[in-house]
Amino acid sequence: MSKVKETSTNFANKMALADECPEAYASNIIGGQWTLVICSWLMQGKLRFSELKNLLPNITERMLTLQLRKLEEHKLVKRTVYAEVPLRVEYELTSIGYALKPIIKQLEDWGVKHRAEVGG
Amino acid sequence: MSKVKETSTNFANKMALADECPEAYASNIIGGQWTLVICSWLMQGKLRFSELKNLLPNITERMLTLQLRKLEEHKLVKRTVYAEVPLRVEYELTSIGYALKPIIKQLEDWGVKHRAEVGG
DNA sequence: CAGGATCCAACATGATACTG
DNA sequence: CAGTATCATGTTGGATCCTG
């Protein structure tokens, strides 16, 4: 990491860990409340806004929008707007988004195991 | 999942997803800002409070305490207090905590890849 | 249909000071 | 050393209403 001038009052060190550490970096991207769940559904193919909303019964439209925007920003999903009436918007995973698959798999395995052992 | 009385105004559905879905369940447990980073360090062995604090330069004592308590609650770490002067407290992973290793590994790999493709 | 805008409550987190 | 207590603030997320 680059040295920080000692005279500065050390702003900006917040992301220092993420800068160094791939797992913290990754965690910042996919750590959101809904990120993995959304990606998990999208693994099976494109979905429309309303389809996602129905698959995620607990999410508000607002949150879904925000989450999808974040995923788009991080290039995990691609958003396609079809100029039809009524409007249609589809979301699909990018290659790097699709690369989350093994993580999700491991996470599922661990979740099952943890629930069995600890019994959440 | 058990049926919810239609007459009820549907509180409590918040955790419905986590109830069903192992990956959401897992994500709720390890999704915290610091969880994975702390566990990652503990993979290499026991650590004291102050050691962890020094390894996580951006964390406040308060946060570290909170996070460790949460990890303890979820049985990911074990806390051992040694009645010495000065006081010594050590944290170590439980077996289910240690089982996070493949997840962390996958996450690191993905982080590296994402950073290479998308570029911070 | 797929959001955007606005307002507000709840929670997460930092700063600071104190303790067994 | 390893915390706890308290206050202050920022961020998140829900509710509601509006729009291309």
Side-chain angles (χ1 to χ4, degrees):
Chain A
M1 190 167 25
S2 59
K3 231 183 233 173
V4 180
K5 277 209 188 105
E6 315 81 52
T7 51
S8 111
T9 15
N10 269 20
F11 293 136
N13 257 0
K14 297 211 70 156
M15 299 317 282
L17 245 167
D19 282 347
E20 295 262 323
C21 199
E23 88 237 38
Y25 171 85
S27 192
N28 277 335
I29 294 180
I30 65 167
Q33 178 86 231
W34 298 100
T35 315
L36 288 178
V37 190
I38 293 175
C39 289
S40 179
W41 282 114
L42 289 177
M43 287 289 159
Q44 297 154 54
K46 299 182 183 182
L47 287 173
R48 307 181 52 167
F49 185 86
S50 53
E51 290 172 325
L52 275 170
K53 196 195 159 194
N54 291 329
L55 290 169
L56 276 23
N58 303 315
I59 203 170
T60 60
E61 292 189 354
R62 177 188 143 86
M63 272 315 298
L64 183 52
T65 303
L66 290 173
Q67 296 300 312
L68 287 170
R69 291 289 177 280
K70 188 180 159 192
L71 288 173
E72 213 189 331
E73 180 187 341
H74 290 311
K75 316 283 188 196
L76 301 195
V77 309
K78 199 179 84 181
R79 179 171 179 266
T80 312
V81 184
Y82 297 87
E84 304 172 352
V85 176
L87 188 56
R88 181 162 59 104
V89 178
E90 285 187 342
Y91 295 89
E92 63 184 313
L93 291 177
T94 63
S95 64
I96 190 70
Y98 194 75
L100 285 172
K101 190 156 193 164
I103 298 186
I104 294 180
K105 178 67 168 62
Q106 294 284 346
L107 214 57
E108 283 178 352
D109 291 351
W110 185 86
V112 171
K113 191 173 171 191
H114 183 279
R115 183 140 51 185
E117 287 190 23
V118 179
Chain B
M1 187 169 26
S2 59
K3 231 184 233 175
V4 180
K5 276 211 188 99
E6 313 82 49
T7 51
S8 110
T9 15
N10 269 18
F11 291 137
N13 257 358
K14 297 212 66 155
M15 300 317 283
L17 243 168
D19 283 350
E20 296 261 324
C21 198
E23 87 236 40
Y25 172 85
S27 191
N28 277 336
I29 295 181
I30 64 168
Q33 176 85 232
W34 297 98
T35 315
L36 259 1
V37 190
I38 292 174
C39 288
S40 179
W41 282 113
L42 288 177
M43 286 291 160
Q44 297 155 56
K46 299 182 182 183
L47 287 173
R48 308 180 52 167
F49 184 88
S50 53
E51 290 172 327
L52 276 169
K53 197 194 155 195
N54 291 328
L55 290 169
L56 277 24
N58 303 315
I59 203 169
T60 60
E61 291 189 356
R62 179 189 142 86
M63 270 316 293
L64 182 53
T65 303
L66 258 35
Q67 297 299 311
L68 287 170
R69 290 288 177 279
K70 188 180 160 195
L71 289 173
E72 214 188 332
E73 180 189 341
H74 291 312
K75 315 284 188 196
L76 300 195
V77 309
K78 199 179 81 175
R79 178 171 179 266
T80 312
V81 183
Y82 298 88
E84 305 173 351
V85 175
L87 188 57
R88 180 162 59 106
V89 179
E90 286 188 341
Y91 295 89
E92 63 185 312
L93 291 177
T94 63
S95 65
I96 189 69
Y98 193 75
L100 285 173
K101 189 155 192 165
I103 298 186
I104 293 180
K105 177 67 169 62
Q106 295 284 345
L107 213 57
E108 284 179 349
D109 292 351
W110 186 86
V112 171
K113 192 174 169 190
H114 183 282
R115 184 141 49 184
E117 287 192 22
V118 179

